């Protein structure tokens, strides 16, 4: 089984890569640095093409779209949220996810039990809508929507798509006062990915297995 994880240089992505490696799984962790298994800047279309070429004829059983940015943390409604932050956030959190999936569709189609896991966030929820962080929330809502629509289109091809809130996790993004460790998030998420199948495709779940409000 081959697992591809985007944004595996640190945080949740690095934790997921370490977990699967310990399980003896063939892991391709992508990162922007040349020391990554596969170099990938998710905002660069040519970078996705190179990733697909590097994987050659390999089957990919699980693609985890994890790379993400949260650039408008604490921004001020009157003076913040510049157009450049909108563009950069959507290029990474939405377009980047779509391009990763599109590039690896041929590899997923070769697998026996192909699955795509999109790391969104509880901040994607339009039902909860507590306000603030408009760019990050909108980008995570968009990628949730993308995952739901892809799940419809890929169902007939036997490719399952799950969308996840990983918890509030102690990483550079989550901060040191976050609720759970990377290990706890990884333990929960990997259980969810293992349970993902064509009957549950389109699910939006928390790391600990609860259905998340849309
Ligand atoms: N931590 C939380 O509490 C939390 C909560 C909800 C959702 N999430 C989501 O979980 C995912 C992982 O978050 P994290 O907490 O592990 O964040 P993190 O510690 O900030 O790590 C982010 C990862 O994304 C990569 N990345 C960013 N921009 C990229 C790009 N253009 N191309 C390729 N890789 C890129 C980073 O690579 P570099 O090292 O090259 O920068 C890094 O590996 C994100 O999608 C995030 O939105 C996190």
């Amino acid at each position: 089984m081959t697992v591809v994880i985007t944004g595996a240089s640190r945080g949740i992505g690095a934790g997921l890569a370490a977990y699967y490696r310990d399980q003896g799984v063939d892991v391709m962790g992508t990162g922007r640095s040349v020391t990554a298994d596969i170099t990938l800047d998710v905002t660069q279309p040519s970078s996705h093409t190179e990733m697909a070429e590097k994987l050659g004829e390999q089957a990919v059983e699980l693609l985890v779209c994890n790379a993400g940015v949260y650039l408008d943390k604490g921004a001020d409604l009157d003076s913040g949220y510049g157009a450049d932050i909108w563009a950069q956030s959507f290029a990474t959190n939405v377009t980047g996810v779509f391009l990763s999936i599109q590039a690896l569709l041929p590899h997923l189609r070769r697998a026996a039990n192909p699955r795509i896991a999109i790391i969104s966030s509880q901040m994607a929820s339009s039902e909860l809508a507590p306000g603030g962080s408009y760019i990050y929330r909108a980008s995570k809502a968009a990628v949730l929507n993308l995952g739901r629509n892809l799940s419809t289109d890929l169902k007939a091809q036997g490719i399952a798509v799950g969308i996840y809130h990983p918890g509030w996790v102690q990483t550079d993004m989550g901060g040191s006062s976050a609720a759970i460790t990377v290990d706890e998030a990884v333990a929960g998420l990997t259980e969810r990915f293992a349970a993902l199948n064509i009957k549950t495709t389109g699910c939006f779940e928390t790391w600990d297995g609860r259905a998340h409000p849309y």
Side-chain angles (χ1 to χ4, degrees):
M1 155 161 162
T2 295
V3 176
V4 175
I5 302 162
T6 69
S9 58
R10 55 197 168 93
I12 298 167
L16 287 169
Y19 170 88
Y20 284 118
R21 261 187 208 111
D22 284 352
Q23 302 290 308
V25 170
D26 177 28
V27 182
M28 291 289 171
T30 83
R32 287 188 276 193
S33 141
V34 287
T35 55
D37 300 327
I38 297 184
T39 308
L40 175 72
D41 180 336
V42 298
T43 64
Q44 300 301 317
S46 61
S47 192
H48 292 273
T49 310
E50 283 160 25
M51 169 176 67
E53 282 168 2
K54 176 137 197 215
L55 286 165
E57 296 300 308
Q58 221 166 313
V60 171
E61 199 98 3
L62 175 64
L63 166 62
V64 185
C65 298
N66 165 79
V69 289
Y70 181 3
L71 303 174
D72 60 335
K73 197 183 263 188
D76 177 69
L77 177 55
D78 292 306
S79 59
Y81 303 104
D84 53 334
I85 309 282
W86 280 96
Q88 208 184 323
S89 302
F90 271 71
T92 308
N93 295 356
V94 189
T95 317
V97 171
F98 178 78
L99 294 177
S100 299
I101 294 169
Q102 188 181 45
L104 296 192
L105 275 177
H107 303 80
L108 288 157
R109 289 189 183 115
R110 285 184 203 114
N113 179 23
R115 284 154 293 149
I116 299 167
I118 296 175
I119 307 300
S120 177
S121 168
Q122 63 184 352
M123 291 169 78
S125 176
S126 300
E127 283 179 42
L128 300 183
S133 298
Y134 307 113
I135 300 175
Y136 183 73
R137 288 186 195 282
S139 72
K140 290 299 185 180
V143 85
L144 166 62
N145 183 280
L146 171 66
R148 297 272 300 157
N149 282 286
L150 282 172
S151 74
T152 299
D153 289 336
L154 295 176
K155 194 170 189 172
Q157 300 179 35
I159 302 174
V161 183
I163 304 104
Y164 301 94
H165 167 53
W168 183 26
V169 191
Q170 291 156 17
T171 63
D172 293 339
M173 187 185 291
S176 55
S177 52
I180 60 171
T181 63
V182 167
D183 285 350
E184 288 171 294
V186 165
L189 287 171
T190 51
E191 220 174 276
R192 299 325 309 150
F193 303 164
L196 175 63
N197 62 54
I198 216 66
K199 287 193 188 123
T200 61
T201 192
C203 61
F204 179 29
E205 292 179 340
T206 62
W207 62 284
D208 54 353
R210 287 168 292 129
H212 200 285
Y214 293 95

